[in-house]
Amino acid sequence: MLLPVLLFLRGRPSRGEDWITPGAEDRCTRNDLAVRRYACAMAGFELAEVVKELRRDLQAARSRDPAARDVGQLELLATWPGIHALLAHRVAHALDAAGVPLLPRLISMFVRTLTGIEIHPAARIGSGLFIDHGTGVVIGETADIGDNVTLYQGVTLGGTGFATGKRHPTVQDNVTIGSGAKLLGPITVGHGAKIGANSVVITDVPPNSTVVGNPGHPVRVEGRRPEGPDADWIHLPDPIAEALQALASRIGALERTLAERSEEDPEPVAEVRPLRTVKGPNPAGG
């Protein structure tokens, strides 16, 4: 957004400077007019892009937040902290890309104080990102976020180590990351993946998969994950319970074999019962 202003300023002589070459004044006047026309065209283009991004942000909030479906756009723009953080980040990111010192960081720190969402000015964010509630969300410097991604409160896209360069996650399109999840290091979260609440992910996540646990374990739901945001954090696979069930089944088979050979009555096989139900209505609706 600063490009039109910078181009405009570049077309003007500095204070105290004069044109000394014969004919240079006419040429510079023409150049100045050309630069101004280009700056106006770029300003119109930038304004149109900002309006498109704003509309996509509002649409993302309305489509993925049930509380926003009966709310007007003005109220969304005025009271949704995720939208505030995104708009401010786009300004800070443009300033950072233009090489403006200090100001991008000040914007980022101010928005963190206002919304509880910290986004580094250098982080790259696609269109349609929705940050629900947002308190405690941290997005690091070299993080890359694709289109139509959903983040819930407490999500961290953090780095590991002290080396420079790529050290934060890359999140591809249509990914949903649950409350309190921590994604650490230069990992890649594949297209359409879902990260369970409070998971700690330190390795790459395959596309269309669900990750749960600490450290995170990729699992699949019904063979393949459907795309799109999904707030159902109850009906997730439990890889620890599944492993215990497999061990119990194996021990039961060994006990039965031993009882048959010793001609004794087999002992009842222990049953692994889940601590939570895996049936019932989807809390996300539908």
Side-chain angles (χ1 to χ4, degrees):
M1 296 176 63
L2 289 180
L3 180 59
V5 178
L6 295 175
L7 291 172
F8 176 79
L9 293 177
R10 285 182 57 189
R12 299 178 61 86
S14 60
R15 182 177 300 178
E17 183 179 356
D18 196 6
W19 308 110
I20 57 175
T21 305
E25 184 173 358
D26 293 337
R27 290 196 301 272
C28 289
T29 300
R30 291 194 297 269
N31 290 339
D32 184 57
L33 291 175
V35 167
R36 291 190 184 196
R37 292 193 190 99
Y38 179 71
C40 291
M42 288 298 297
F45 174 77
E46 291 286 342
L47 180 60
E49 287 298 312
V50 168
V51 172
K52 288 181 181 179
E53 290 174 350
L54 178 58
R55 287 177 178 173
R56 285 194 291 263
D57 293 340
L58 294 174
Q59 181 59 35
R62 188 181 298 277
S63 62
R64 296 178 223 167
D65 188 354
R69 290 173 186 168
D70 297 327
V71 175
Q73 291 190 352
L74 182 60
E75 185 174 350
L76 279 175
L77 186 61
T79 60
W80 254 245
I83 295 177
H84 297 163
L86 283 176
L87 290 176
H89 169 72
R90 292 202 174 98
V91 175
H93 184 73
L95 294 171
D96 183 74
V100 177
L102 185 59
L103 186 56
R105 280 284 196 171
L106 291 178
I107 294 175
S108 175
M109 297 300 293
F110 173 75
V111 172
R112 186 182 73 169
T113 303
L114 183 66
T115 66
I117 301 171
E118 180 177 349
I119 307 177
H120 194 283
R124 296 190 295 181
I125 297 177
S127 64
L129 172 66
F130 175 56
I131 303 176
D132 195 9
H133 298 291
T135 302
V137 169
V138 177
I139 300 176
E141 177 185 10
T142 60
D144 290 281
I145 300 178
D147 298 334
N148 302 317
V149 172
T150 302
L151 306 180
Y152 289 88
Q153 64 271 16
V155 169
T156 297
L157 305 183
T160 55
F162 301 100
T164 58
K166 177 65 174 174
R167 61 189 185 279
H168 296 90
T170 296
V171 179
Q172 297 181 352
D173 300 342
N174 299 312
V175 171
T176 303
I177 304 178
S179 305
K182 314 300 179 187
L183 284 66
L184 305 177
I187 61 176
T188 298
V189 180
H191 179 98
K194 177 179 177 181
I195 311 299
N198 292 316
S199 298
V200 178
V201 184
I202 55 177
T203 57
D204 290 346
V205 176
N208 299 308
S209 64
T210 299
V211 169
V212 296
N214 179 11
H217 301 278
V219 294
R220 290 184 180 272
V221 178
E222 297 178 354
R224 180 171 180 174
R225 271 282 302 125
E227 288 188 13
D230 183 1
D232 181 9
W233 306 108
I234 295 178
H235 305 95
L236 290 178
D238 189 341
I240 297 177
E242 292 173 358
L244 291 176
Q245 287 175 350
L247 289 173
S249 299
R250 181 60 177 167
I251 292 173
L254 293 173
E255 288 177 346
R256 286 192 296 270
T257 301
L258 182 61
E260 290 174 359
R261 293 187 177 183
S262 62
E263 298 182 352
E264 296 179 357
D265 292 333
E267 296 289 336
V269 178
E271 180 183 358
V272 178
R273 297 181 179 179
L275 297 178
R276 56 174 173 75
T277 180
V278 294
K279 298 180 180 180
N282 186 340

